[in-house]
Amino acid sequence: AQSVTQLGSHVSVSEGALVLLRCNYSSSVPPYLFWYVQYPNQGLQLLLKYTSAATLVKGINGFEAEFKKSETSFHLTKPSAHMSDAAEYFCAVSEVNTGFQKLVFGTGTRLLVSP
Amino acid sequence: GAVVSQHPSRVICKSGTSVKIECRSLDFQATTMFWYRQFPKQSLMLMATSNEGSKATYEQGVEKDKFLINHASLTLSTLTVTSAHPEDSSFYICSALPLGVNTGELFFGEGSRLTVL
């Protein structure tokens, strides 16, 4: 079965600093990978997705992630943090051979941005 | 496009009553919708997969008689929490898979916070 591990339940950065949120996956077949962001008391919004095309994926709000098969990783980065980036971020994996329907989420990483 | 709306966003009910939460895809059709439960500061746990015109598929450990799911049309799925108890208090989120899309991308509702007194 597929799984996702997000290292660090909390990540704190200063405004303007690099954001790095880590995600490692486990899947027996080529995965589809996603990063979602959740603001308080809201649903999830897709930041970006990897679906076997380019390994470097650019998303909304200046975020990007790189799929590294050799490291089974899909870390999320942003060059310069904004205060508005403070939120909960979830990495998720969807196995291709299950019809892409089920998403398995990581435990989430809360990004804190200080002035 | 691809907007999913949940209603109500917040609901408070007394123990023993039933509560219905609606999940609507506003600008697309969805044969498949998913219901998740999220406890404070935790990840989303898939409860069930809702398929239009057929019975929902429940994840292991989820009581199907407790959490009734109906997906009567291509744009609406409902989750009814029957005989709710305080331990059912949680944030419930739905997502929808657009008809004909095979990229695995789901669109999520805003969530519904249930508080059972």
Side-chain angles (χ1 to χ4, degrees):
Chain A
Q2 67 273 41
S3 66
V4 170
T5 302
Q6 290 184 244
L7 295 178
S9 59
H10 292 80
V11 170
S12 296
V13 299
S14 299
E15 191 173 21
L18 172 70
V19 175
L20 171 61
L21 304 183
R22 299 179 185 274
C23 173
N24 288 87
Y25 70 90
S26 173
S27 178
S28 58
V29 297
Y32 281 14
L33 294 160
F34 306 82
W35 275 100
Y36 284 88
V37 60
Q38 184 182 33
Y39 297 99
N41 294 310
Q42 293 187 29
L44 275 66
Q45 180 182 7
L46 181 68
L47 279 178
L48 49 80
K49 62 184 178 184
Y50 166 76
T51 56
S52 73
T55 56
L56 181 61
V57 182
K58 294 186 183 298
I60 62 172
N61 301 338
F63 284 93
E64 62 181 40
E66 186 173 6
F67 172 70
K68 292 187 176 181
K69 184 178 179 180
S70 61
E71 299 178 7
T72 61
S73 69
F74 191 57
H75 302 329
L76 182 69
T77 61
K78 182 174 180 177
S80 177
H82 293 172
M83 296 295 291
S84 60
D85 293 328
E88 189 86 19
Y89 291 80
F90 292 97
C91 183
V93 62
S94 174
E95 280 194 351
V96 173
N97 68 352
T98 60
F100 327 131
Q101 291 187 0
K102 284 190 179 181
L103 285 183
V104 175
F105 288 89
T107 50
T109 298
R110 182 169 297 275
L111 178 63
L112 306 171
V113 183
S114 56
Chain B
V3 177
V4 175
S5 177
Q6 277 185 245
H7 178 79
S9 58
R10 292 177 182 269
V11 58
I12 301 173
C13 69
K14 294 182 179 179
S15 185
T17 62
S18 295
V19 174
K20 179 184 287 187
I21 301 171
E22 293 185 347
C23 177
R24 292 181 185 273
S25 55
L26 299 185
D27 51 3
F28 65 96
Q29 294 182 324
T31 55
T32 304
M33 292 184 174
F34 302 90
W35 286 97
Y36 305 82
R37 183 173 181 176
Q38 185 180 31
F39 291 102
K41 299 182 179 181
Q42 295 189 27
S43 188
L44 283 73
M45 292 183 59
L46 180 64
M47 299 174 64
T49 302
S50 170
N51 297 296
E52 188 267 337
S54 64
K55 292 183 178 181
T57 303
Y58 290 82
E59 296 299 302
Q60 190 174 6
V62 177
E63 301 175 59
K64 59 181 66 176
D65 295 330
K66 173 76 171 176
F67 300 98
L68 300 180
I69 292 173
N70 183 277
H71 193 157
S73 78
L74 289 173
T75 59
L76 174 64
S77 176
T78 61
L79 168 68
T80 301
V81 183
T82 62
S83 186
H85 291 285
E87 58 266 29
D88 299 324
S89 299
S90 191
F91 194 54
Y92 293 88
I93 303 176
C94 73
S95 67
L97 182 68
L99 184 63
V101 174
N102 63 357
T103 62
E105 180 176 352
L106 299 178
F107 296 93
F108 286 80
E110 315 96 318
S112 299
R113 183 164 299 283
L114 170 63
T115 302
V116 184
L117 303 176

